[in-house]
Amino acid sequence: MKILATGDWHLGNMFHGNDRLPEHKHFLSWLLSQIEDQQPDALLIAGDVFDNGNPSAAAQSLYYGFLADASEKCSSMQIIIIAGNHDSANRLEAPRALLTRHHVEVRGIVNRTWVNDGDKGDWITHYDDLMIPVKGHEGDEVIVLAVPYLRNDIIHNASYSKGVMTFLQELTSKAREKYPDRPLVMMAHMYAQGADIAKKDASEKIIIGGVEEVRMEGWTDHPDYMTCGHIHKRQHIWNTDWARYSGSVLPMSFAEVDYHHGVDLVTIQSDGKHQVTLLEYQPQHKLIILPKEDEELTPKKLLKLIDAELDDRVDGKLDDQFVYVMLKVKLEKVNNDELVALEEKIGEKNAVLSRIQRIIPELDLTTVSGDEQIKSVDDIINRDPLDTLKETYAVKYNKVMSEHQEQMLRKLLNSLTSESDNI
């Protein structure tokens, strides 16, 4: 059985102020051609269909138009969609009854029933609603376990991560009981522990501290295959050989300049063995970072680099293959007039200047406040507040505080200390 796995479309996304609707049309046109060529048994869309919970009419029109076209290209194909953390679960699932009649299944919410038991009660989860049989061309069958992004109201556990894992395990166990001889393919939208995300400028909404990280290591009775949305880099889920992220269809930030995009073609055998092949997609507009390294180029050298790396516009107009550019400059070496000249130069090219990023050299903070190291809460409590303020100033402004500023702060801190002693 052949399954196409994708997700993280983010229809309606604006890239540094640029409407990406034409780019999404380009991707969906490419995806329709893959569906026509491959004639898959199922198309799985693992959440974040839209970039926000209130998508524009144009984004929704593109989405529903694609579903109609895909159903025509491959009438026997089952389409299964789940909600991601960017989606409005209720909005996505609202047309479920209509779409089901056209072989499109949407799972935005987890259906539950409250059952009273005397003075107490409990929620009963309808796991069966998340089990969707998919029949292949040759009569074989796979059960898709469609798990939308699980919000806190669904998870009843002291730990969100543990609660999600418990939910996935219970769903899998119940599916094994109901369909003992069928391969199980799970689709979910979540943050798996160990996922490789950009260290800077990450576009995923990740909670600091790993609160939402789901630990999958050691899960023995897992589905035969699992495809996930949420993380934009295509990759295996850490320490598994049976689960992976299919990745976003477009780069969502300049930190993703080297990511590979496309959809996964997953072939599932009747015994659950699987093979995954990337059908690679080249986004309509590439991302270009100039310079590639953190070189401190003069304005004259930057102008030469722009000329060398970017194509000229034809008749002063952008064509369909223009590129997005991030320009890295050390602002201390570039004045406003020179910045305007750089912007004008890029304006002559088949490119859109999306961002100007400051190059900030690594600061040696030991030259600011000595070589002391913070190792405990007591170190923080007993530390001179002026040292912290000096470091904060250096990090923010990339220069050392002047002697006059330091004297003023010391005077202010001393006055505050005196007032505190008199209370």
Side-chain angles (χ1 to χ4, degrees):
M1 181 177 289
K2 291 199 297 185
I3 295 173
L4 291 182
T6 179
D8 290 280
W9 290 1
H10 291 274
L11 301 179
N13 175 252
M14 300 288 288
F15 190 72
H16 296 279
N18 298 286
D19 187 356
R20 307 190 87 176
L21 197 64
E23 294 174 75
H24 281 114
K25 287 181 179 178
H26 185 273
F27 164 73
L28 292 176
S29 177
W30 172 85
L31 181 54
L32 285 172
S33 68
Q34 301 304 309
I35 290 170
E36 190 170 25
D37 291 344
Q38 298 293 338
Q39 292 294 301
D41 300 293
L43 170 66
L44 307 185
I45 306 173
D48 282 358
V49 177
F50 296 105
D51 195 52
N52 61 71
N54 187 27
S56 67
Q60 293 183 73
S61 178
L62 182 61
Y63 166 66
Y64 288 113
F66 167 80
L67 295 180
D69 292 341
S71 297
E72 288 183 5
K73 294 285 186 185
C74 187
S75 58
S76 62
M77 178 181 67
Q78 179 82 57
I79 301 176
I80 303 174
I81 305 163
I82 60 173
N85 60 304
H86 279 255
D87 298 308
S88 165
N90 289 316
R91 181 189 292 272
L92 200 67
E93 194 169 293
R96 173 174 167 175
L98 175 62
L99 292 175
T100 296
R101 299 183 184 185
H102 298 278
H103 303 289
V104 179
E105 294 287 348
V106 181
R107 298 295 184 270
I109 59 177
V110 175
N111 286 317
R112 302 179 300 163
T113 301
W114 178 261
V115 177
N116 287 315
D117 184 14
D119 295 335
K120 299 180 180 180
D122 199 5
W123 286 105
I124 302 300
T125 301
H126 300 297
Y127 288 106
D128 284 7
D129 186 54
L130 304 178
M131 305 175 192
I132 304 172
V134 175
K135 290 190 179 292
H137 292 92
E138 299 178 3
D140 47 348
E141 190 174 60
V142 164
I143 309 303
V144 174
L145 309 180
V147 186
Y149 177 70
L150 299 175
R151 303 188 184 275
N152 287 317
D153 61 327
I154 300 297
I155 302 303
H156 299 289
N157 199 293
S159 162
Y160 174 86
S161 299
K162 188 175 180 180
V164 171
M165 196 64 237
T166 299
F167 186 98
L168 300 181
Q169 289 173 327
E170 288 182 359
L171 173 59
T172 304
S173 177
K174 291 181 182 297
R176 292 270 185 226
E177 292 175 8
K178 186 173 182 178
Y179 301 100
D181 301 321
R182 303 287 191 276
L184 300 182
V185 174
M186 180 174 282
M187 173 171 60
H189 192 95
M190 66 180 196
Y191 178 24
Q193 186 182 49
D196 185 7
I197 61 174
K199 292 180 175 60
K200 294 182 179 179
D201 199 24
S203 57
E204 300 95 338
K205 291 183 177 179
I206 301 299
I207 295 179
I208 296 173
V211 175
E212 288 192 336
E213 282 186 299
V214 179
R215 183 183 179 88
M216 295 174 59
E217 188 177 17
W219 186 9
T220 54
D221 190 26
H222 55 73
D224 296 288
Y225 184 73
M226 183 176 187
T227 181
C228 283
H230 191 39
I231 303 303
H232 294 163
K233 183 176 183 179
R234 182 177 182 270
Q235 60 188 283
H236 270 293
I237 290 179
W238 187 48
N239 284 342
T240 73
D241 58 3
W242 50 271
R244 68 163 55 245
Y245 286 103
S246 58
S248 62
V249 300
L250 297 178
M252 302 300 294
S253 77
F254 280 96
E256 302 175 11
V257 63
D258 294 322
Y259 286 9
H260 293 281
H261 303 277
V263 299
D264 284 337
L265 173 61
V266 185
T267 305
I268 303 286
Q269 305 296 334
S270 58
D271 59 1
K273 292 182 179 179
H274 63 271
Q275 181 178 352
V276 182
T277 303
L278 171 64
L279 303 180
E280 190 159 7
Y281 166 70
Q282 295 296 330
Q284 185 178 18
H285 304 306
K286 292 182 179 180
L287 305 188
I288 302 291
I289 300 175
L290 297 176
K292 293 180 181 179
E293 306 299 330
D294 286 348
E295 304 171 63
E296 299 179 17
L297 301 183
T298 63
K300 185 176 291 186
K301 288 184 177 180
L302 281 171
L303 287 170
K304 289 183 178 179
L305 182 63
I306 291 168
D307 255 336
E309 295 292 333
L310 303 179
D311 296 330
D312 292 330
R313 295 188 184 190
V314 178
D315 297 327
K317 297 180 181 179
L318 294 170
D319 66 24
D320 290 339
Q321 303 302 317
F322 72 80
V323 298
Y324 291 118
V325 175
M326 180 173 80
L327 192 63
K328 296 194 294 187
V329 300
K330 185 172 182 181
L331 293 183
E332 287 81 358
K333 292 188 176 181
V334 182
N335 60 41
N336 287 337
D337 289 339
E338 291 165 333
L339 276 178
V340 170
L342 290 170
E343 292 177 16
E344 289 177 348
K345 172 59 69 174
I346 292 178
E348 299 171 2
K349 302 296 181 176
N350 194 36
V352 170
L353 178 60
S354 301
R355 182 178 176 187
I356 295 178
Q357 177 179 293
R358 284 183 63 188
I359 297 175
I360 302 178
E362 290 285 336
L363 285 172
D364 182 6
L365 295 179
T366 61
T367 65
V368 177
S369 58
D371 58 358
E372 61 179 321
Q373 295 184 356
I374 304 297
K375 297 181 179 179
S376 68
V377 174
D378 287 338
D379 290 339
I380 298 174
I381 294 173
N382 297 323
R383 191 183 196 208
D384 186 343
L386 183 59
D387 288 340
T388 301
L389 291 171
K390 287 164 63 178
E391 286 186 7
T392 303
Y393 182 91
V395 170
K396 183 172 182 178
Y397 297 106
N398 197 39
K399 60 182 180 181
V400 177
M401 187 181 291
S402 70
E403 185 176 346
H404 177 64
Q405 290 170 318
E406 187 175 336
Q407 288 174 353
M408 289 180 63
L409 275 175
R410 174 58 72 190
K411 185 176 181 180
L412 176 61
L413 289 169
N414 288 338
S415 68
L416 291 173
T417 302
S418 297
E419 290 180 10
S420 177
D421 291 340
N422 293 329
I423 294 176

